[in-house]
Amino acid sequence: MVKNVLDQALIEGAAMIPYGEVATYIPELGKADKNQLGICIFTRNGKQFSAGDTKVRFSMQSISKVVALMVALETCGFETVFKHVGMEPSGDAFNSLVKLEISSGYPYNPMINSGAIAICSYIEPELTFNEMLRRTRKVCSDPDIVLDRDVYHSEMAHTSRNRAIAYLLESKGVITGNVERVLELYVKLCSLSVTAESLASLGLLLANGGVQPETGEAVLRPDTVRVVKTIMTTCGMYDGSGEFAVRVGIPTKSGVGGGLLSVVDQRMGIGIFGPALDKKGNSVAGIRMLEYLSSQLGLHLFNDESKDVIYRRLETQLSEEESL
Ligand code: GLU
């Protein structure tokens, strides 16, 4: 039954692909095949369901902002992270500079470029890129994550807006270290290559409070996980976060590589790859798939039915099915 729902979700999502376009402002991303589409669900009780292109590697892009936030919270602490970065949705595009200049001068939240660049400036003096890579592999349970050098060089050659943001943050005293090194770390993290499966694993880790369900290892602190999931809910879909929360109600972070990382709390992680994007930079097919799954499986945070009823229905479905 869940597999049938997933297959139907893929059909629903594929119908939206003509309405989206791959990102081209980073030229290397423009080479993606916009018709690719895949979705994975990993549940807390060990079931895995997949449909479509779930093993294709693509760059994490903004989904790396979730990992950077986790690492910064665990390494530098909550007070440091949120001293100069807010927790509010910005209502502007992910790479906007507007509010940095006209309001407080601080980034609105860690899920937009300015916030993530500030967060990278806290991480950069503490941890090497290789350590960040190791931690990304760990939280995604994917030892094959590597730096996609073509994407990295392509973005570094076309990153004027991010460079402008970084120097503006330096002028406001938010970044105090070496701006170019911070920018390099930010772009490298965006260029890590993942699959829909790696994102489903990360989603499951977050759904399970930071504990690896298979091994029982506590990988992240519970307070880190709570902050990350909350900010994904309010700010994870750029300036589309409010409408997405109403229609879908699943904490999610998107990236312009076409990835979506979703967390159904206490239940499952969902990973999606669909590089055709809407005007806000979110996967058009991915959003449709999540909307469909949310309604079919009762996954909205504030579902009309009580969570218990929905959860029991899902558990019954799962126990009747074979893991794929
Ligand atoms: N590397 C991208 C940028 O800085 C990430 C944007 C995104 O995925 O939203 O523009």
Side-chain angles (χ1 to χ4, degrees), residues 98-148:
V98 175
K99 291 217 172 85
L100 270 184
E101 193 55 6
I102 59 173
S103 56
S104 67
Y106 295 159
Y108 264 58
N109 68 69
M111 297 289 115
I112 53 174
N113 291 14
S114 54
I117 291 169
I119 296 240
C120 283
S121 79
Y122 308 144
I123 295 173
E124 196 274 331
E126 307 290 335
L127 301 173
T128 61
F129 165 70
N130 279 340
E131 175 59 16
M132 289 301 292
L133 173 59
R134 190 191 68 76
R135 291 190 188 204
T136 307
R137 287 173 172 164
K138 173 92 178 169
V139 294
C140 293
S141 301
D142 180 358
D144 296 327
I145 294 175
V146 288
L147 174 69
D148 184 329

mmCIF file of all heavy atoms in Angstrom, residues 98-148:
data_model
loop_
_atom_site.group_PDB
_atom_site.id
_atom_site.type_symbol
_atom_site.label_atom_id
_atom_site.label_comp_id
_atom_site.label_asym_id
_atom_site.label_seq_id
_atom_site.Cartn_x
_atom_site.Cartn_y
_atom_site.Cartn_z
ATOM 1 N N VAL A 98 18.605 42.330 0.383
ATOM 2 C CA VAL A 98 17.813 43.519 0.692
ATOM 3 C C VAL A 98 17.704 43.790 2.190
ATOM 4 O O VAL A 98 18.082 44.847 2.680
ATOM 5 C CB VAL A 98 16.400 43.383 0.083
ATOM 6 C CG1 VAL A 98 15.511 44.548 0.497
ATOM 7 C CG2 VAL A 98 16.507 43.315 -1.421
ATOM 8 N N LYS A 99 17.204 42.779 2.927
ATOM 9 C CA LYS A 99 16.923 43.035 4.338
ATOM 10 C C LYS A 99 18.196 43.207 5.168
ATOM 11 O O LYS A 99 18.171 43.823 6.220
ATOM 12 C CB LYS A 99 16.068 41.910 4.912
ATOM 13 C CG LYS A 99 14.656 41.907 4.341
ATOM 14 C CD LYS A 99 13.635 41.533 5.398
ATOM 15 C CE LYS A 99 12.217 41.707 4.903
ATOM 16 N NZ LYS A 99 11.716 40.541 4.174
ATOM 17 N N LEU A 100 19.305 42.639 4.643
ATOM 18 C CA LEU A 100 20.575 42.779 5.378
ATOM 19 C C LEU A 100 20.923 44.255 5.532
ATOM 20 O O LEU A 100 21.514 44.667 6.511
ATOM 21 C CB LEU A 100 21.706 42.124 4.575
ATOM 22 C CG LEU A 100 21.999 40.663 4.830
ATOM 23 C CD1 LEU A 100 23.201 40.240 4.021
ATOM 24 C CD2 LEU A 100 22.238 40.424 6.313
ATOM 25 N N GLU A 101 20.565 45.037 4.525
ATOM 26 C CA GLU A 101 20.944 46.434 4.537
ATOM 27 C C GLU A 101 19.871 47.291 5.225
ATOM 28 O O GLU A 101 20.195 48.184 6.003
ATOM 29 C CB GLU A 101 21.175 46.901 3.087
ATOM 30 C CG GLU A 101 21.857 48.224 2.933
ATOM 31 C CD GLU A 101 23.209 48.349 3.655
ATOM 32 O OE1 GLU A 101 23.703 47.358 4.201
ATOM 33 O OE2 GLU A 101 23.732 49.471 3.690
ATOM 34 N N ILE A 102 18.592 46.966 4.965
ATOM 35 C CA ILE A 102 17.563 47.902 5.452
ATOM 36 C C ILE A 102 17.054 47.595 6.862
ATOM 37 O O ILE A 102 16.450 48.452 7.477
ATOM 38 C CB ILE A 102 16.352 48.005 4.495
ATOM 39 C CG1 ILE A 102 15.701 46.647 4.303
ATOM 40 C CG2 ILE A 102 16.746 48.633 3.165
ATOM 41 C CD1 ILE A 102 14.414 46.697 3.516
ATOM 42 N N SER A 103 17.272 46.375 7.355
ATOM 43 C CA SER A 103 16.815 46.133 8.733
ATOM 44 C C SER A 103 18.013 45.964 9.657
ATOM 45 O O SER A 103 18.969 46.707 9.560
ATOM 46 C CB SER A 103 15.834 44.966 8.792
ATOM 47 O OG SER A 103 16.421 43.829 8.242
ATOM 48 N N SER A 104 17.989 44.961 10.523
ATOM 49 C CA SER A 104 18.994 44.880 11.594
ATOM 50 C C SER A 104 20.427 44.720 11.100
ATOM 51 O O SER A 104 21.373 44.992 11.815
ATOM 52 C CB SER A 104 18.678 43.669 12.476
ATOM 53 O OG SER A 104 18.888 42.499 11.714
ATOM 54 N N GLY A 105 20.583 44.269 9.848
ATOM 55 C CA GLY A 105 21.936 43.988 9.366
ATOM 56 C C GLY A 105 22.338 42.558 9.646
ATOM 57 O O GLY A 105 23.404 42.121 9.246
ATOM 58 N N TYR A 106 21.451 41.809 10.320
ATOM 59 C CA TYR A 106 21.736 40.406 10.591
ATOM 60 C C TYR A 106 20.889 39.534 9.674
ATOM 61 O O TYR A 106 19.751 39.905 9.357
ATOM 62 C CB TYR A 106 21.401 40.053 12.052
ATOM 63 C CG TYR A 106 22.252 40.771 13.076
ATOM 64 C CD1 TYR A 106 21.811 40.895 14.381
ATOM 65 C CD2 TYR A 106 23.484 41.309 12.739
ATOM 66 C CE1 TYR A 106 22.586 41.547 15.344
ATOM 67 C CE2 TYR A 106 24.263 41.961 13.673
ATOM 68 C CZ TYR A 106 23.809 42.086 14.979
ATOM 69 O OH TYR A 106 24.578 42.725 15.902
ATOM 70 N N PRO A 107 21.399 38.362 9.285
ATOM 71 C CA PRO A 107 20.587 37.455 8.470
ATOM 72 C C PRO A 107 19.316 37.035 9.221
ATOM 73 O O PRO A 107 19.353 36.846 10.436
ATOM 74 C CB PRO A 107 21.500 36.257 8.252
ATOM 75 C CG PRO A 107 22.883 36.758 8.484
ATOM 76 C CD PRO A 107 22.757 37.835 9.503
ATOM 77 N N TYR A 108 18.234 36.858 8.470
ATOM 78 C CA TYR A 108 16.962 36.495 9.113
ATOM 79 C C TYR A 108 16.953 35.089 9.701
ATOM 80 O O TYR A 108 16.310 34.847 10.708
ATOM 81 C CB TYR A 108 15.808 36.656 8.102
ATOM 82 C CG TYR A 108 15.118 37.987 8.252
ATOM 83 C CD1 TYR A 108 15.846 39.170 8.126
ATOM 84 C CD2 TYR A 108 13.766 38.073 8.544
ATOM 85 C CE1 TYR A 108 15.230 40.395 8.290
ATOM 86 C CE2 TYR A 108 13.146 39.303 8.711
ATOM 87 C CZ TYR A 108 13.887 40.461 8.586
ATOM 88 O OH TYR A 108 13.279 41.672 8.767
ATOM 89 N N ASN A 109 17.602 34.148 9.016
ATOM 90 C CA ASN A 109 17.584 32.762 9.528
ATOM 91 C C ASN A 109 18.728 31.965 8.891
ATOM 92 O O ASN A 109 19.318 32.413 7.910
ATOM 93 C CB ASN A 109 16.206 32.113 9.267
ATOM 94 C CG ASN A 109 15.943 31.887 7.796
ATOM 95 O OD1 ASN A 109 16.584 31.047 7.169
ATOM 96 N ND2 ASN A 109 15.028 32.648 7.207
ATOM 97 N N PRO A 110 19.024 30.772 9.429
ATOM 98 C CA PRO A 110 20.175 29.992 8.931
ATOM 99 C C PRO A 110 19.901 29.238 7.629
ATOM 100 O O PRO A 110 20.808 28.603 7.106
ATOM 101 C CB PRO A 110 20.420 28.964 10.051
ATOM 102 C CG PRO A 110 19.542 29.358 11.186
ATOM 103 C CD PRO A 110 18.431 30.173 10.640
ATOM 104 N N MET A 111 18.670 29.288 7.109
ATOM 105 C CA MET A 111 18.324 28.491 5.925
ATOM 106 C C MET A 111 18.433 29.280 4.629
ATOM 107 O O MET A 111 18.207 28.752 3.545
ATOM 108 C CB MET A 111 16.895 27.925 6.061
ATOM 109 C CG MET A 111 16.708 26.970 7.227
ATOM 110 S SD MET A 111 17.519 25.374 7.006
ATOM 111 C CE MET A 111 18.749 25.400 8.297
ATOM 112 N N ILE A 112 18.726 30.585 4.724
ATOM 113 C CA ILE A 112 18.982 31.376 3.512
ATOM 114 C C ILE A 112 20.493 31.611 3.400
ATOM 115 O O ILE A 112 21.232 31.416 4.368
ATOM 116 C CB ILE A 112 18.204 32.712 3.535
ATOM 117 C CG1 ILE A 112 18.482 33.488 4.826
ATOM 118 C CG2 ILE A 112 16.717 32.467 3.346
ATOM 119 C CD1 ILE A 112 17.873 34.882 4.855
ATOM 120 N N ASN A 113 20.935 32.051 2.239
ATOM 121 C CA ASN A 113 22.383 32.136 2.007
ATOM 122 C C ASN A 113 23.099 32.986 3.048
ATOM 123 O O ASN A 113 24.144 32.595 3.569
ATOM 124 C CB ASN A 113 22.664 32.678 0.606
ATOM 125 C CG ASN A 113 22.270 31.697 -0.468
ATOM 126 O OD1 ASN A 113 21.558 30.734 -0.187
ATOM 127 N ND2 ASN A 113 22.702 31.921 -1.682
ATOM 128 N N SER A 114 22.553 34.176 3.351
ATOM 129 C CA SER A 114 23.263 35.062 4.287
ATOM 130 C C SER A 114 23.429 34.383 5.647
ATOM 131 O O SER A 114 24.518 34.445 6.246
ATOM 132 C CB SER A 114 22.508 36.390 4.436
ATOM 133 O OG SER A 114 21.167 36.167 4.799
ATOM 134 N N GLY A 115 22.376 33.714 6.116
ATOM 135 C CA GLY A 115 22.450 33.041 7.417
ATOM 136 C C GLY A 115 23.444 31.896 7.396
ATOM 137 O O GLY A 115 24.240 31.718 8.331
ATOM 138 N N ALA A 116 23.425 31.132 6.309
ATOM 139 C CA ALA A 116 24.333 29.974 6.228
ATOM 140 C C ALA A 116 25.778 30.424 6.088
ATOM 141 O O ALA A 116 26.696 29.785 6.623
ATOM 142 C CB ALA A 116 23.930 29.082 5.056
ATOM 143 N N ILE A 117 26.001 31.530 5.387
ATOM 144 C CA ILE A 117 27.379 32.040 5.253
ATOM 145 C C ILE A 117 27.870 32.503 6.633
ATOM 146 O O ILE A 117 29.013 32.226 7.028
ATOM 147 C CB ILE A 117 27.439 33.158 4.186
ATOM 148 C CG1 ILE A 117 27.194 32.555 2.797
ATOM 149 C CG2 ILE A 117 28.786 33.875 4.220
ATOM 150 C CD1 ILE A 117 26.974 33.566 1.677
ATOM 151 N N ALA A 118 27.001 33.160 7.384
ATOM 152 C CA ALA A 118 27.383 33.563 8.750
ATOM 153 C C ALA A 118 27.702 32.330 9.598
ATOM 154 O O ALA A 118 28.706 32.287 10.316
ATOM 155 C CB ALA A 118 26.258 34.374 9.396
ATOM 156 N N ILE A 119 26.861 31.300 9.463
ATOM 157 C CA ILE A 119 27.086 30.068 10.245
ATOM 158 C C ILE A 119 28.422 29.421 9.847
ATOM 159 O O ILE A 119 29.166 28.927 10.701
ATOM 160 C CB ILE A 119 25.899 29.106 10.037
ATOM 161 C CG1 ILE A 119 24.655 29.778 10.596
ATOM 162 C CG2 ILE A 119 26.178 27.711 10.577
ATOM 163 C CD1 ILE A 119 23.909 29.189 11.654
ATOM 164 N N CYS A 120 28.716 29.438 8.548
ATOM 165 C CA CYS A 120 30.002 28.873 8.106
ATOM 166 C C CYS A 120 31.165 29.659 8.700
ATOM 167 O O CYS A 120 32.238 29.101 8.935
ATOM 168 C CB CYS A 120 30.097 28.872 6.577
ATOM 169 S SG CYS A 120 29.142 27.536 5.848
ATOM 170 N N SER A 121 30.946 30.950 8.958
ATOM 171 C CA SER A 121 32.045 31.743 9.540
ATOM 172 C C SER A 121 32.298 31.332 10.996
ATOM 173 O O SER A 121 33.396 31.536 11.510
ATOM 174 C CB SER A 121 31.756 33.242 9.442
ATOM 175 O OG SER A 121 30.859 33.656 10.445
ATOM 176 N N TYR A 122 31.295 30.770 11.663
ATOM 177 C CA TYR A 122 31.528 30.270 13.029
ATOM 178 C C TYR A 122 32.228 28.910 12.984
ATOM 179 O O TYR A 122 33.019 28.576 13.860
ATOM 180 C CB TYR A 122 30.211 30.117 13.812
ATOM 181 C CG TYR A 122 29.332 31.357 13.798
ATOM 182 C CD1 TYR A 122 27.949 31.256 13.762
ATOM 183 C CD2 TYR A 122 29.897 32.631 13.823
ATOM 184 C CE1 TYR A 122 27.152 32.388 13.748
ATOM 185 C CE2 TYR A 122 29.100 33.762 13.802
ATOM 186 C CZ TYR A 122 27.724 33.640 13.763
ATOM 187 O OH TYR A 122 26.940 34.753 13.732
ATOM 188 N N ILE A 123 31.886 28.120 11.951
ATOM 189 C CA ILE A 123 32.457 26.768 11.851
ATOM 190 C C ILE A 123 33.913 26.816 11.373
ATOM 191 O O ILE A 123 34.765 26.060 11.850
ATOM 192 C CB ILE A 123 31.623 25.911 10.852
ATOM 193 C CG1 ILE A 123 30.203 25.691 11.389
ATOM 194 C CG2 ILE A 123 32.304 24.579 10.569
ATOM 195 C CD1 ILE A 123 29.267 25.009 10.397
ATOM 196 N N GLU A 124 34.178 27.711 10.405
ATOM 197 C CA GLU A 124 35.461 27.689 9.676
ATOM 198 C C GLU A 124 36.697 27.705 10.576
ATOM 199 O O GLU A 124 37.638 26.935 10.337
ATOM 200 C CB GLU A 124 35.467 28.850 8.658
ATOM 201 C CG GLU A 124 36.526 28.751 7.593
ATOM 202 C CD GLU A 124 37.854 29.323 8.019
ATOM 203 O OE1 GLU A 124 37.868 30.256 8.865
ATOM 204 O OE2 GLU A 124 38.892 28.842 7.536
ATOM 205 N N PRO A 125 36.715 28.507 11.652
ATOM 206 C CA PRO A 125 37.931 28.462 12.499
ATOM 207 C C PRO A 125 38.036 27.177 13.328
ATOM 208 O O PRO A 125 39.100 26.856 13.836
ATOM 209 C CB PRO A 125 37.750 29.662 13.447
ATOM 210 C CG PRO A 125 36.602 30.448 12.920
ATOM 211 C CD PRO A 125 35.767 29.518 12.124
ATOM 212 N N GLU A 126 36.916 26.459 13.476
ATOM 213 C CA GLU A 126 36.884 25.288 14.374
ATOM 214 C C GLU A 126 37.143 23.964 13.659
ATOM 215 O O GLU A 126 37.779 23.072 14.213
ATOM 216 C CB GLU A 126 35.512 25.178 15.060
ATOM 217 C CG GLU A 126 35.035 26.439 15.774
ATOM 218 C CD GLU A 126 35.847 26.728 17.033
ATOM 219 O OE1 GLU A 126 36.413 25.778 17.600
ATOM 220 O OE2 GLU A 126 35.924 27.913 17.406
ATOM 221 N N LEU A 127 36.579 23.823 12.449
ATOM 222 C CA LEU A 127 36.606 22.513 11.787
ATOM 223 C C LEU A 127 37.067 22.638 10.345
ATOM 224 O O LEU A 127 36.718 23.602 9.649
ATOM 225 C CB LEU A 127 35.193 21.897 11.787
ATOM 226 C CG LEU A 127 34.520 21.676 13.155
ATOM 227 C CD1 LEU A 127 33.079 21.231 12.952
ATOM 228 C CD2 LEU A 127 35.268 20.650 13.975
ATOM 229 N N THR A 128 37.811 21.634 9.885
ATOM 230 C CA THR A 128 38.245 21.631 8.477
ATOM 231 C C THR A 128 37.091 21.179 7.582
ATOM 232 O O THR A 128 36.119 20.568 8.052
ATOM 233 C CB THR A 128 39.403 20.637 8.268
ATOM 234 O OG1 THR A 128 38.905 19.321 8.606
ATOM 235 C CG2 THR A 128 40.606 20.983 9.134
ATOM 236 N N PHE A 129 37.249 21.420 6.279
ATOM 237 C CA PHE A 129 36.238 20.918 5.344
ATOM 238 C C PHE A 129 36.154 19.396 5.432
ATOM 239 O O PHE A 129 35.054 18.820 5.397
ATOM 240 C CB PHE A 129 36.561 21.356 3.901
ATOM 241 C CG PHE A 129 35.758 20.577 2.904
ATOM 242 C CD1 PHE A 129 34.389 20.774 2.783
ATOM 243 C CD2 PHE A 129 36.352 19.594 2.122
ATOM 244 C CE1 PHE A 129 33.620 20.022 1.894
ATOM 245 C CE2 PHE A 129 35.603 18.835 1.233
ATOM 246 C CZ PHE A 129 34.233 19.056 1.122
ATOM 247 N N ASN A 130 37.308 18.723 5.571
ATOM 248 C CA ASN A 130 37.281 17.257 5.629
ATOM 249 C C ASN A 130 36.484 16.754 6.827
ATOM 250 O O ASN A 130 35.802 15.731 6.749
ATOM 251 C CB ASN A 130 38.698 16.686 5.653
ATOM 252 C CG ASN A 130 39.282 16.648 4.262
ATOM 253 O OD1 ASN A 130 38.545 16.686 3.272
ATOM 254 N ND2 ASN A 130 40.603 16.610 4.168
ATOM 255 N N GLU A 131 36.567 17.484 7.932
ATOM 256 C CA GLU A 131 35.780 17.089 9.098
ATOM 257 C C GLU A 131 34.287 17.309 8.818
ATOM 258 O O GLU A 131 33.445 16.494 9.206
ATOM 259 C CB GLU A 131 36.230 17.899 10.331
ATOM 260 C CG GLU A 131 35.421 17.676 11.590
ATOM 261 C CD GLU A 131 35.399 16.225 12.085
ATOM 262 O OE1 GLU A 131 36.239 15.405 11.657
ATOM 263 O OE2 GLU A 131 34.499 15.915 12.911
ATOM 264 N N MET A 132 33.951 18.376 8.112
ATOM 265 C CA MET A 132 32.551 18.615 7.747
ATOM 266 C C MET A 132 32.046 17.517 6.804
ATOM 267 O O MET A 132 30.913 17.066 6.911
ATOM 268 C CB MET A 132 32.400 19.990 7.073
ATOM 269 C CG MET A 132 32.560 21.161 8.020
ATOM 270 S SD MET A 132 31.346 21.122 9.378
ATOM 271 C CE MET A 132 29.805 21.436 8.521
ATOM 272 N N LEU A 133 32.926 17.095 5.899
ATOM 273 C CA LEU A 133 32.567 16.004 4.988
ATOM 274 C C LEU A 133 32.301 14.730 5.794
ATOM 275 O O LEU A 133 31.307 14.024 5.572
ATOM 276 C CB LEU A 133 33.697 15.797 3.967
ATOM 277 C CG LEU A 133 33.581 14.595 3.036
ATOM 278 C CD1 LEU A 133 32.304 14.664 2.203
ATOM 279 C CD2 LEU A 133 34.802 14.515 2.104
ATOM 280 N N ARG A 134 33.190 14.457 6.744
ATOM 281 C CA ARG A 134 33.034 13.245 7.569
ATOM 282 C C ARG A 134 31.702 13.293 8.316
ATOM 283 O O ARG A 134 30.954 12.315 8.359
ATOM 284 C CB ARG A 134 34.201 13.146 8.563
ATOM 285 C CG ARG A 134 34.290 11.817 9.298
ATOM 286 C CD ARG A 134 35.274 11.851 10.451
ATOM 287 N NE ARG A 134 34.850 12.694 11.553
ATOM 288 C CZ ARG A 134 33.925 12.373 12.448
ATOM 289 N NH1 ARG A 134 33.318 11.208 12.390
ATOM 290 N NH2 ARG A 134 33.593 13.222 13.413
ATOM 291 N N ARG A 135 31.379 14.458 8.862
ATOM 292 C CA ARG A 135 30.129 14.559 9.624
ATOM 293 C C ARG A 135 28.901 14.468 8.716
ATOM 294 O O ARG A 135 27.869 13.925 9.109
ATOM 295 C CB ARG A 135 30.102 15.875 10.409
ATOM 296 C CG ARG A 135 31.130 15.876 11.526
ATOM 297 C CD ARG A 135 30.926 17.050 12.430
ATOM 298 N NE ARG A 135 32.031 17.152 13.371
ATOM 299 C CZ ARG A 135 31.947 17.756 14.542
ATOM 300 N NH1 ARG A 135 30.819 18.318 14.913
ATOM 301 N NH2 ARG A 135 32.983 17.817 15.346
ATOM 302 N N THR A 136 29.033 14.998 7.505
ATOM 303 C CA THR A 136 27.897 14.904 6.566
ATOM 304 C C THR A 136 27.657 13.442 6.198
ATOM 305 O O THR A 136 26.515 12.968 6.170
ATOM 306 C CB THR A 136 28.174 15.746 5.294
ATOM 307 O OG1 THR A 136 28.514 17.077 5.678
ATOM 308 C CG2 THR A 136 26.961 15.783 4.386
ATOM 309 N N ARG A 137 28.758 12.729 5.932
ATOM 310 C CA ARG A 137 28.622 11.295 5.615
ATOM 311 C C ARG A 137 27.946 10.557 6.772
ATOM 312 O O ARG A 137 27.104 9.685 6.568
ATOM 313 C CB ARG A 137 30.001 10.682 5.367
ATOM 314 C CG ARG A 137 30.614 11.094 4.037
ATOM 315 C CD ARG A 137 32.042 10.584 3.947
ATOM 316 N NE ARG A 137 32.606 10.801 2.624
ATOM 317 C CZ ARG A 137 33.904 10.744 2.366
ATOM 318 N NH1 ARG A 137 34.776 10.473 3.317
ATOM 319 N NH2 ARG A 137 34.337 10.940 1.137
ATOM 320 N N LYS A 138 28.334 10.928 7.979
ATOM 321 C CA LYS A 138 27.815 10.241 9.162
ATOM 322 C C LYS A 138 26.301 10.491 9.315
ATOM 323 O O LYS A 138 25.527 9.553 9.489
ATOM 324 C CB LYS A 138 28.563 10.791 10.393
ATOM 325 C CG LYS A 138 28.060 10.324 11.713
ATOM 326 C CD LYS A 138 28.797 9.103 12.163
ATOM 327 C CE LYS A 138 28.329 8.660 13.532
ATOM 328 N NZ LYS A 138 28.838 7.350 13.860
ATOM 329 N N VAL A 139 25.871 11.755 9.256
ATOM 330 C CA VAL A 139 24.440 12.025 9.501
ATOM 331 C C VAL A 139 23.576 11.514 8.352
ATOM 332 O O VAL A 139 22.388 11.262 8.534
ATOM 333 C CB VAL A 139 24.143 13.520 9.792
ATOM 334 C CG1 VAL A 139 24.778 13.955 11.095
ATOM 335 C CG2 VAL A 139 24.535 14.431 8.643
ATOM 336 N N CYS A 140 24.179 11.357 7.170
ATOM 337 C CA CYS A 140 23.430 10.822 6.025
ATOM 338 C C CYS A 140 23.611 9.307 5.884
ATOM 339 O O CYS A 140 23.063 8.704 4.947
ATOM 340 C CB CYS A 140 23.874 11.483 4.725
ATOM 341 S SG CYS A 140 23.459 13.225 4.588
ATOM 342 N N SER A 141 24.395 8.704 6.757
ATOM 343 C CA SER A 141 24.723 7.266 6.647
ATOM 344 C C SER A 141 25.167 6.923 5.236
ATOM 345 O O SER A 141 24.727 5.915 4.662
ATOM 346 C CB SER A 141 23.511 6.395 7.020
ATOM 347 O OG SER A 141 23.106 6.661 8.316
ATOM 348 N N ASP A 142 25.987 7.771 4.658
ATOM 349 C CA ASP A 142 26.402 7.580 3.267
ATOM 350 C C ASP A 142 27.901 7.872 3.127
ATOM 351 O O ASP A 142 28.301 9.025 2.975
ATOM 352 C CB ASP A 142 25.576 8.514 2.367
ATOM 353 C CG ASP A 142 25.959 8.375 0.905
ATOM 354 O OD1 ASP A 142 26.876 7.597 0.578
ATOM 355 O OD2 ASP A 142 25.328 9.065 0.078
ATOM 356 N N PRO A 143 28.721 6.810 3.144
ATOM 357 C CA PRO A 143 30.178 7.005 3.056
ATOM 358 C C PRO A 143 30.632 7.455 1.675
ATOM 359 O O PRO A 143 31.799 7.815 1.496
ATOM 360 C CB PRO A 143 30.746 5.611 3.388
ATOM 361 C CG PRO A 143 29.630 4.655 3.093
ATOM 362 C CD PRO A 143 28.342 5.390 3.297
ATOM 363 N N ASP A 144 29.728 7.440 0.699
ATOM 364 C CA ASP A 144 30.131 7.776 -0.678
ATOM 365 C C ASP A 144 29.929 9.245 -1.027
ATOM 366 O O ASP A 144 30.157 9.647 -2.174
ATOM 367 C CB ASP A 144 29.352 6.901 -1.674
ATOM 368 C CG ASP A 144 29.702 5.435 -1.492
ATOM 369 O OD1 ASP A 144 30.866 5.150 -1.132
ATOM 370 O OD2 ASP A 144 28.814 4.576 -1.680
ATOM 371 N N ILE A 145 29.510 10.038 -0.071
ATOM 372 C CA ILE A 145 29.363 11.477 -0.355
ATOM 373 C C ILE A 145 30.749 12.068 -0.611
ATOM 374 O O ILE A 145 31.680 11.837 0.158
ATOM 375 C CB ILE A 145 28.689 12.207 0.829
ATOM 376 C CG1 ILE A 145 27.244 11.720 0.978
ATOM 377 C CG2 ILE A 145 28.724 13.725 0.628
ATOM 378 C CD1 ILE A 145 26.529 12.285 2.194
ATOM 379 N N VAL A 146 30.870 12.794 -1.716
ATOM 380 C CA VAL A 146 32.151 13.454 -2.045
ATOM 381 C C VAL A 146 31.864 14.884 -2.485
ATOM 382 O O VAL A 146 30.716 15.254 -2.726
ATOM 383 C CB VAL A 146 32.903 12.726 -3.198
ATOM 384 C CG1 VAL A 146 33.470 11.399 -2.733
ATOM 385 C CG2 VAL A 146 32.013 12.562 -4.412
ATOM 386 N N LEU A 147 32.942 15.650 -2.590
ATOM 387 C CA LEU A 147 32.824 16.999 -3.148
ATOM 388 C C LEU A 147 32.712 16.861 -4.667
ATOM 389 O O LEU A 147 33.585 16.247 -5.290
ATOM 390 C CB LEU A 147 34.067 17.810 -2.782
ATOM 391 C CG LEU A 147 34.175 19.196 -3.408
ATOM 392 C CD1 LEU A 147 33.123 20.137 -2.832
ATOM 393 C CD2 LEU A 147 35.564 19.782 -3.179
ATOM 394 N N ASP A 148 31.654 17.421 -5.241
ATOM 395 C CA ASP A 148 31.544 17.451 -6.704
ATOM 396 C C ASP A 148 32.344 18.666 -7.184
ATOM 397 O O ASP A 148 31.876 19.806 -7.103
ATOM 398 C CB ASP A 148 30.063 17.555 -7.119
ATOM 399 C CG ASP A 148 29.902 17.498 -8.632
ATOM 400 O OD1 ASP A 148 30.819 17.959 -9.351
ATOM 401 O OD2 ASP A 148 28.859 17.002 -9.094
#
